[in-house]
Amino acid sequence: MFRTYLIAAIPALSPFASPSVYATQDKQDIERIVTTSSRFAVNDDIKALSITSVNQELLEQIGATHIEKALQSVAGANIQHGNGQEYLPALRSPVFTGSGACGSILTLEDGIALRAAGFCNVNELFEAHSEMAQRIEVLKGPGSVLYGSNAVHGVINVISQDPTLGSGYSAIDVGSYGYKRAKLQAGKDAGSYGIGANISMTRDSGYREDESVKQEKMTLRHRYDGQSWSVQNGIAYSNLNQDTAGYIEGFESYKDPELAKQNLNPGAFRDNRALRAWSKLNWHYSNATDIAMTAYARDQEMTFLKHFLPGTPIEQNAQHGAGINALVQHQLTPLWRLQLGLDSEFTQGSMTQYQENPTQGSAFLQATIPQGKHYDYTVNASQLAPFIALQYRQASWQVDLGARYEHIRYDYETHLQAGRTKEDGSECAMGGCRYARPPSAKTEFTDLSPKFALSYQFNENLVTYANVAKGYRAPQTSELYQLQRAQQVADLESETLDSIELGVKGAYSDLRFTLSGYVMEKDNVIYRNSDFFNVSQGQSKHRGLELELDYRLSDTLSLQTAIANALHTYEHEQLLGEQNIQGNIMDTAPRLITNTRLNWRASDSVLLSLQWHSMSKYFTDAENQHEYEGHDLLSVRGQWQVSPQLLATLRIENLTDEAYAERADYTSFSGDRYFPGRPRTALFTLRYEWD
């Protein structure tokens, strides 16, 4: 039994994929299925990939008002919540900022990318139905041939609940500062087929001035199971209408309760609509061969006020496209397994940035940022990526070899005159307009990423592994075609990352743990230099240790912890002011992040949990001259199973009412600035289930 438990558990880098939130829950009841590693639902025993799975029990206990809270238990992840549904992501990395930096982490829902390669948005996870997720799988590092451009630092895959299995529930959340959420799952299971829907609606008036969130999400599912094959069809829709509160300014202004409520950008907003339709075929062709194929289509539109830019222009972007992911898995011999796949996609994207009113501020800003359109372009993008993986498995050894080849082509067309002119083609004073438009062009990127992994199972209790991989991302369209000042063309290369990871996974009695260490070197990092040119001349280095542990202290007590200790540094020469930042610690890259939960099963029907989330100090500028002091937050949660159908949950976040910043930043224009964290908040949930 113990060997079965270990083999089922070890594919994840977390405490064997899904640490239980119930101290008395039997180990074999813990959900350990993962799909991100192979596109098949498997318990792959000694695969050398770092995957953490946040299971449904924990997600329901947390009742996350934002996906950031759901990912706090993942060592190496650091999602910094902005305002409303906005955030900035990090995964074995500093927090990514800038128009194209979001391309370093690939975000999926049910294995399908939320955005097309080249068209990422830093907030795109708000389109996934994480409020009703079955689990959230996080693959850390570039270790899989299944994922190419954008999966540089890893993959976040939201796996939605399957309502076609027949059970259902309704739930209502009510919390501080006008927070409300309603959820409904309903479906019918007719044996060989099923239909169902997940629906959620969120309303949040917020604690800051002139902020609010209105969001609706719906997932429709259909399932048909044949004798040797199955088909699942789905439609996912999300709609967001948000009034946004921006940064507050001034050193440690987040500690002032009145300043923390301020909104210096009362007119800021973000409206987003996203629709995805998909069909998945899994075919057990023979005892040796399995086939997985997914066809999908996307339709997305967003409008938002760029309140963080002078002149506060409005951006409208959209993307419409379709793709197919195909994979064949064949057992060549009892020892050898082959995977062959092809991913293909076509997308038409568009972007318009325009300013309704004249620019306010200095004479220079008024002269160089004109009223009217700044950008107006479309891009037809195609992606083609074949890949191959070969696995050798004998006794306690497993060897994985693979490679992915990817070709991305952008056909860009500007609908305004190329150059740095006004919309009517006239010149700006004081040296020219701020925004520059490159001439229409076709651009191609080709990348090859090899992978090698080795794992060894010492005994029933201990596995160790090594993983060597290369990741990459093609430049985003925003980096290529949204230029500034005198730059006429952005001659950019794909960012690349070389990764080496070593790890050990163990299960002894009531203790389960995973310890891993990694070193990653990144080249051709894209950034905007002091001349406001987009260049791919950066280099960085990333190294860290991660521990995820699940310890059953007694029949009623359990402890889970996730610890990430990392160092991220600039390795290229770049002058900011008169300082060369080479060797400096990257900004917004805390050295230590810890998340620890103590769970107490007080009775068969009552569960209490105390969480401590700690973030160390970090620099807020690349020169390492300014910093945020870090914070420690306590939260308490309690669940009461009132009846077999009715569950009540009470949560108190920021129990000690600490003044802290969700995000801290520094710019030479505004100085220190922050997104203040919420004061002590309470959230109450009632959930009713039926068969």
Side-chain angles (χ1 to χ4, degrees), residues 28-43:
Q28 292 184 335
D29 292 335
I30 301 172
E31 177 63 75
R32 307 180 196 98
I33 296 293
V34 293
T35 57
T36 304
S37 64
S38 65
R39 295 186 184 169
F40 294 99
V42 296
N43 288 330

Side-chain angles (χ1 to χ4, degrees), residues 259-334:
L259 292 179
K261 295 178 182 178
Q262 256 188 353
N263 182 3
L264 302 179
N265 311 100
F269 70 92
R270 184 183 295 270
D271 295 334
N272 183 75
R273 179 193 60 80
L275 177 68
R276 290 180 305 281
W278 51 265
S279 181
K280 295 184 179 182
L281 167 69
N282 283 339
W283 184 14
H284 186 59
Y285 179 76
S286 70
N287 290 334
T289 305
D290 291 287
I291 298 172
M293 183 173 293
T294 299
Y296 59 88
R298 294 191 202 90
D299 186 82
Q300 174 271 326
E301 296 179 351
M302 178 188 291
T303 304
F304 67 102
L305 183 73
K306 290 184 163 181
H307 57 86
F308 43 85
L309 293 179
T312 58
I314 291 175
E315 176 177 326
Q316 292 179 331
N317 61 65
Q319 55 180 286
H320 320 284
I324 296 177
N325 297 335
L327 174 65
V328 177
Q329 180 173 282
H330 181 67
Q331 196 73 36
L332 298 171
T333 72

Side-chain angles (χ1 to χ4, degrees), residues 130-145:
S130 57
E131 296 85 351
M132 300 186 72
Q134 181 181 358
R135 61 186 183 275
I136 302 176
E137 297 176 1
V138 181
L139 188 157
K140 291 175 274 188
S144 174
V145 298

Side-chain angles (χ1 to χ4, degrees), residues 11 44 51 78 109 123 158 176 193 234 258 263 284 330 367 390 421-422 477 479 494 544 551-552 642 649 681:
D44 201 348
I51 301 180
N78 179 20
E109 183 174 47
N123 303 289
V158 177
S176 304
Y193 75 91
E258 294 305 316
N263 182 3
H284 186 59
H330 181 67
L390 188 63
T421 64
K422 298 179 183 179
T477 55
E479 296 167 318
S494 294
Y551 184 35
R552 185 170 173 172
V642 182
T649 305
T681 61

